[in-house]
């Protein structure tokens, strides 16, 4: 039986680590956008845009990759 990476049992810290990191970066970007008015605004814009970029990646790119993975094409599955 092949166990894929996304099917493995994970702890709560493994499940919520990246959403927390993304949330903290976004909050820091929002606070920086409110308090800073110079070149660091680009950094705050990037921090606020991070969840949008990640969402677009998973919406546009990930289905193609997972479809190829699920069809069982050679060389894609781990043994």
């Amino acid at each position: 039986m092949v166990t894929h990476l996304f099917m493995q049992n994970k702890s709560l810290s493994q499940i919520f680590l990246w959403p927390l990191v993304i949330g903290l970066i976004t909050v820091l970007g929002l606070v920086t956008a409110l308090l800073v008015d110079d070149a660091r605004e680009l950094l705050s814009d990037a921090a606020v845009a991070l969840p949008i970029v990640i969402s677009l990646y998973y919406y546009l790119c990930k289905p193609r990759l997972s479809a190829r993975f699920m069809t069982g094409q050679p060389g894609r599955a781990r043994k």
Side-chain angles (χ1 to χ4, degrees):
M1 180 174 161
V2 176
T3 303
H4 299 293
L5 182 62
F6 60 87
M7 295 175 142
Q8 294 176 353
N9 293 331
K10 295 182 180 181
S11 67
L12 281 176
S13 61
Q14 290 173 325
I15 292 170
F16 291 110
L17 174 67
W18 286 111
L20 283 173
V21 169
I22 293 168
L24 289 173
I25 290 172
T26 303
V27 167
L28 277 166
L30 289 170
V31 170
T32 305
L34 287 172
L35 300 177
V36 177
D37 201 24
D38 59 359
R40 288 177 282 187
E41 274 189 16
L42 293 175
L43 182 63
S44 66
D45 291 343
V48 171
L50 180 66
I52 298 168
V53 171
I54 292 172
S55 299
L56 285 174
Y57 169 75
Y58 277 97
Y59 181 73
L60 298 174
C61 300
K62 197 67 171 180
R64 284 186 238 137
L65 295 175
S66 63
R68 193 176 342 149
F69 185 72
M70 296 297 261
T71 58
Q73 286 184 351
R76 295 295 297 169
R78 291 183 178 176
K79 293 184 180 183

